[in-house]
Amino acid sequence: MDIKQQLTEILNELLKTANLEQGDILVIGCSSSEVAGSKIGTSSSEEIGRTIFETAYAILKEKGIYLACQCCEHLNRSLIVERDCMKEHHLPRVNAVPQLKAGGSFATAAYHGMEHPVAVERVTAQAGIDIGDTLIGMHLAPVAVPVRTTLSSIGNAHVVCARTRAKYVGGERARYDAALE
């Protein structure tokens, strides 16, 4: 199974579980080095980054869900999103153009592949996929809930998925809406 098929399967399983709505944000962090079997940040692959971006972008765009592509640590894990996402969610814009060794291949592919890309400092995403242990947690809304998918890797990279749920408030007398869990 190739990386496009692996990502498609993982993403579709996450979407079934996450109950995302049109306009929600799904964040992806991706180490193309880890997918290729190397240590994170050591051998970025333009081809892998582009394949993962194009696959996720097409699936999410069709569903009306915004994709947020996390840059690497050299750009402080800022994200590439569509300008409409930035405006709709009131996201703080930053000035950065990702490249292979400063932003990573995935974010670089997003910057060149989105219709109107912008870099933002942070998002509060309703779901996410971490490909290669890139630490996307800082961009997930509280409360993050792990989602176990049939596949736990793409290529050689470890994959972790998450959805979020509304916080429980109240005490022992509180009742909760099961649809929000």
Side-chain angles (χ1 to χ4, degrees), residues 10 13-15 17-18 128 145-149 159-164:
I10 289 169
E13 285 184 43
L14 176 59
L15 290 172
T17 303
V145 178
V147 174
R148 304 284 183 242
T149 56
V159 173
V160 175
C161 297
R163 65 175 179 84
T164 62

Side-chain angles (χ1 to χ4, degrees), residues 43-112:
S43 59
S44 295
S45 165
E46 289 182 59
E47 180 182 351
I48 290 172
R50 187 173 41 256
T51 299
I52 290 174
F53 164 72
E54 290 173 354
T55 302
Y57 188 66
I59 292 169
L60 295 174
K61 188 171 184 178
E62 180 180 303
K63 297 181 181 306
I65 297 167
Y66 290 117
L67 173 61
C69 302
Q70 181 180 265
C71 297
C72 74
E73 65 182 292
H74 297 100
L75 293 184
N76 296 330
R77 304 218 188 286
S78 58
L79 305 110
I80 305 303
V81 299
E82 287 286 4
R83 185 178 336 139
D84 287 346
C85 178
M86 177 192 71
K87 289 182 176 188
E88 183 177 329
H89 291 275
H90 307 285
L91 303 173
R93 188 172 187 175
V94 294
N95 188 357
V97 177
Q99 11 181 0
L100 202 56
K101 294 291 184 184
S105 64
F106 174 63
T108 301
Y111 194 83
H112 295 292

